[in-house]
Amino acid sequence: MKFNKLLIGLMTSVTLVAGAAQAADLAIVSGDTGTGLAFLRTQLDIFEKDTGNKVTVVPMPSSTSDQFGQYRLWLAAGNTDIDVYQTDVIWAPQLADQFLDLTEAAKDAVGEHFPSIIESQTVNGKLVAIPGFTDAPALFYRKDLLEKYNKEVPKTWAELKATAQEIQDGERTGGNADMYGFVFQGNAYEGLTCNALEWVKSYGGGQIVEADGTISINNPQAVAAIEEAASWIGTISPEGNLAYQEEESRGVWQLGNSVFMRNWPYAYALGNGADSPIAGKFDVAPLPAGEGADARSAATLGGWNFAVSKYSPDADEAIKLALFLGSSQVQKNRAINQTNLPTIAALYEDADVLKAAPFMANWKEIFENAVPRPSAPTQAKYNQVSSLFWSAVHDTLSGNGTAAENLEGLEADLTDLKGNAW
Ligand code: GLC
């Protein structure tokens, strides 16, 4: 931060004489869900104590799409106020030029992390960010309600729809007029890309753009998947779900007003919080599979990292901060307090972690089979690809055109955007 430069300048002579390290005044920018920012503060307090540096958090909205728009502008303008950025797993290829190469600084730490995550943050041999946590979603379900209605955890979307409808109807008749069957992230933003990629992949309909750059989204399985999701709106899911991001779906769920929810693991700790009416009444399972020959359960790969701005005036201390936030110590605290998934394999066998988040024993496998969004093949154009995709899906869910029409239009738009090559 520029603010204390003068002060630090004045102090330098004193600290040099005293032989102490020069303290820096750093700023980290982060958007997060739930209590994510409050947790970050607790870890920064530890870092401040250990290093003598000061760290200010610049809070951002939780929508990753909103964050990306803002950060891209700041970085393009060479902003020197922000030293460390909390970055989404999909951003590395798009923002790589604006961040420092952390290969050398992280050489002792990289071996601890899953190689696939390090790879996702490496662009042309440059390590763009240190992994902080990974994300693979879950089907959250109400154990008590499934028991009451004598139902199994659904394994297919068709089963989910039938069970959600039956319990929703039963609970409404029983007096809870606000009850819904299923909530998810249906707003027109990156979160809908994650949800819809899961539907499409679960029907064997590919990954929008394949690893080799082929545009694959206009196919019958993808059409069937998105039509199925459209049938939920106004039946098992509220109309308002078309505007929900993570926190709005969690709000409905955590009040006890939904049988099922698709969300990321962070919602596990919060749902079991002391003030939560559904504490102890729910569990998590893999998302349902679709129909067809290649049907499977599919989870979109998410996750967050820490990158150092190349415009940081305190790069050395900023790098220390990024390394600290990705360390095993912080990731363990994060897994216990926030139920965020670690990027360090050993923590999935840690007794304290498994006590706080028993589901994590099964989540390493889900994360390892998670489906990446096509940010690597589409490079700098990923954000446009995603925004065309989520718009086509949002239109379909809103009743503006059929899935077949909207995916045909999407294919044409993606072909234009691609041109000769991504
Ligand atoms: C979660 C994921 C992130 C994804 C976002 C979408 O935060 O970790 O990768 O982009 O959700 O809303």
Side-chain angles (χ1 to χ4, degrees):
M1 277 184 100
K2 282 186 258 177
F3 179 61
N4 268 348
K5 283 290 175 267
L6 185 61
L7 190 61
I8 290 167
L10 290 174
M11 280 165 52
T12 308
S13 47
V14 181
T15 47
L16 281 182
V17 171
Q22 181 180 335
D25 198 347
L26 301 169
I28 179 170
V29 69
S30 169
D32 215 327
T33 42
T35 51
L37 287 176
F39 168 78
L40 178 64
R41 185 64 257 168
T42 63
Q43 303 307 292
L44 295 174
D45 291 347
I46 300 173
F47 178 78
E48 288 186 343
K49 245 187 167 163
D50 287 354
T51 63
N53 293 319
K54 281 266 159 279
V55 191
T56 305
V57 181
V58 179
M60 292 295 289
S62 61
S63 162
T64 178
S65 306
D66 292 349
Q67 292 170 42
F68 181 73
Q70 181 62 68
Y71 299 169
R72 196 161 49 173
L73 293 177
W74 280 343
L75 288 163
N79 182 316
T80 54
D81 292 339
I82 311 288
D83 302 281
V84 176
Y85 287 77
Q86 183 168 325
T87 59
D88 199 330
V89 65
I90 49 178
W91 296 345
Q94 299 169 88
L95 298 177
D97 290 347
Q98 313 286 0
F99 294 136
L100 292 181
D101 185 354
L102 302 173
T103 309
E104 184 55 29
K107 66 176 187 313
D108 295 336
V110 284
E112 282 187 326
H113 300 272
F114 290 109
S116 60
I117 299 184
I118 294 293
E119 200 186 308
S120 76
Q121 298 309 301
T122 304
V123 180
N124 299 328
K126 170 174 173 179
L127 180 63
V128 172
I130 308 288
F133 63 97
T134 186
D135 246 349
L139 177 69
F140 288 73
Y141 63 90
R142 285 281 298 278
K143 284 189 295 195
D144 57 333
L145 292 176
L146 291 190
E147 246 164 58
K148 177 170 166 191
Y149 290 82
N150 200 12
K151 295 285 165 196
E152 299 288 315
V153 179
K155 291 246 168 22
T156 66
W157 292 112
E159 285 170 19
L160 176 132
K161 185 155 86 179
T163 301
Q165 188 75 59
E166 186 180 328
I167 301 182
Q168 174 182 302
D169 292 349
E171 290 299 290
R172 286 189 187 184
T173 309
N176 182 2
D178 296 328
M179 194 69 183
Y180 277 98
F182 181 48
V183 288
F184 59 97
Q185 293 76 50
N187 196 333
Y189 80 122
E190 184 65 28
L192 179 55
T193 289
C194 297
N195 283 248
L197 173 59
E198 285 153 9
W199 309 331
V200 169
K201 186 76 182 177
S202 78
Y203 271 75
Q207 298 175 203
I208 312 166
V209 175
E210 303 306 305
D212 67 359
T214 310
I215 299 164
S216 65
I217 188 60
N218 188 17
N219 69 74
Q221 289 308 107
V223 168
I226 294 172
E227 284 300 345
E228 169 70 12
S231 79
W232 303 333
I233 302 293
T235 58
I236 58 169
S237 307
E239 296 280 349
N241 203 126
L242 290 168
Y244 288 178
Q245 300 187 0
E246 283 79 1
E247 286 292 83
E248 288 81 17
S249 6
R250 186 174 69 82
V252 174
W253 157 258
Q254 204 167 306
L255 277 174
N257 290 335
S258 189
V259 185
F260 299 109
M261 169 176 74
R262 182 270 183 210
N263 217 328
W264 307 97
Y266 85 99
Y268 187 92
L270 294 162
N272 280 320
D275 59 349
S276 169
I278 57 162
K281 294 185 180 166
F282 71 92
D283 210 338
V284 293
L287 289 169
E291 317 276 327
D294 295 321
R296 55 169 273 193
S297 164
T300 296
L301 178 65
W304 292 84
N305 308 276
F306 296 98
V308 179
S309 166
K310 77 172 182 194
Y311 311 105
S312 165
D314 294 299
D316 289 346
E317 296 308 304
I319 291 172
K320 270 188 210 158
L321 175 57
L323 286 169
F324 170 76
L325 291 173
S327 68
S328 181
Q329 176 195 352
V330 174
Q331 291 215 13
K332 178 168 174 172
N333 293 343
R334 193 180 261 297
I336 292 171
N337 290 290
Q338 304 298 111
T339 52
N340 289 148
L341 301 176
T343 67
I344 296 174
L347 290 175
Y348 288 81
E349 281 153 29
D350 183 288
D352 302 328
V353 169
L354 292 177
K355 186 160 174 260
F359 75 92
M360 279 196 201
N362 300 327
W363 241 253
K364 185 162 156 285
E365 195 192 327
I366 293 189
F367 144 72
E368 283 172 336
N369 289 308
V371 185
R373 281 161 279 172
S375 56
T378 61
Q379 308 265 330
K381 292 180 185 165
Y382 173 72
N383 198 51
Q384 283 163 283
V385 169
S386 183
S387 121
L388 288 167
F389 177 61
W390 82 54
S391 302
V393 174
H394 196 267
D395 279 349
T396 312
L397 299 187
S398 314
N400 298 326
T402 62
E405 288 159 0
N406 290 330
L407 292 189
E408 194 182 329
L410 174 64
E411 180 181 45
D413 290 344
L414 290 176
T415 306
D416 281 352
L417 179 64
K418 178 177 177 184
N420 291 330
W422 290 111

